Amino acid sequence: MAGVTKVKIKESAEELHDLLRKQKTALGKERISALYLLKIGHVKTIQDLAVVLGRGSATVQRWLKAYTESGITSLVSRKKGSGRPPIINTEVREQLLKELDDPQGFKSYEEIRTWLKAVEGVEASYKVVHDTVRYQMKAKLKVPRAVGIKHQEEAEEEFKKNFPNT
């Protein structure tokens, strides 16, 4: 009969059923249920299995090929993509953290952008610099509060000395 799968499933139907119940992701459940349906004889062909699972036959064939080549563990494991590397890498972050710890520090994120471009050769947008410094590095800029024109340093020190701490 054309389209009948020749995949030999090593696990028993009970093992597959237990494994199916233990799956936490929809992807894992779908793939294990494909093996389970073939094992119990509910479906005979890959085309029927694809219709029952609501997937394309090429997708089901790819799953079965992965199972025959690498076993059941490769079928349920999901590889995480590496993603785009960060614009501000770890060495630059460490250097930036040292600069932020300096008492003089930076007054603005735009100043940090300028420093990154001049010293480290990293060109990053304002948003990237703000997110990296504020939320990922958990650092704050050293910005002093504004002081009035009539502010007197001596009067402030005198007040602090004479103020009762309660």
Side-chain angles (χ1 to χ4, degrees), residues 22-139:
K22 291 178 185 173
Q23 291 303 308
K24 292 186 178 13
T25 62
L27 186 79
K29 287 179 184 177
E30 209 171 27
R31 292 178 179 192
I32 298 296
S33 65
L35 293 177
Y36 181 70
L37 291 172
L38 284 172
K39 185 68 173 185
I40 63 172
H42 190 335
V43 291
K44 299 280 186 219
T45 65
I46 292 175
Q47 186 64 37
D48 292 341
L49 184 59
V51 169
V52 168
L53 293 175
R55 292 291 188 151
S57 58
T59 303
V60 176
Q61 284 176 339
R62 191 174 59 247
W63 293 349
L64 295 176
K65 182 180 178 191
Y67 173 73
T68 55
E69 289 176 355
S70 305
I72 201 157
T73 55
S74 70
L75 193 63
V76 294
S77 67
R78 179 134 187 197
K79 297 171 192 82
K80 188 175 187 302
S82 60
R84 181 189 292 182
I87 293 172
I88 303 173
N89 60 27
T90 54
E91 295 95 31
V92 175
R93 281 184 189 207
E94 290 172 3
Q95 187 65 28
L96 179 58
L97 200 56
K98 288 178 187 174
E99 291 292 324
L100 285 167
D101 285 339
D102 186 29
Q104 191 176 11
F106 294 104
K107 289 189 171 72
S108 68
Y109 293 109
E110 197 62 44
E111 192 176 320
I112 295 174
R113 282 187 66 210
T114 308
W115 178 84
L116 283 171
K117 189 172 184 179
V119 176
E120 301 295 335
V122 174
E123 190 160 345
S125 69
Y126 182 93
K127 183 181 183 320
V128 168
V129 171
H130 178 263
D131 286 347
T132 302
V133 172
R134 183 73 179 103
Y135 300 112
Q136 294 175 14
M137 297 172 71
K138 306 277 191 234

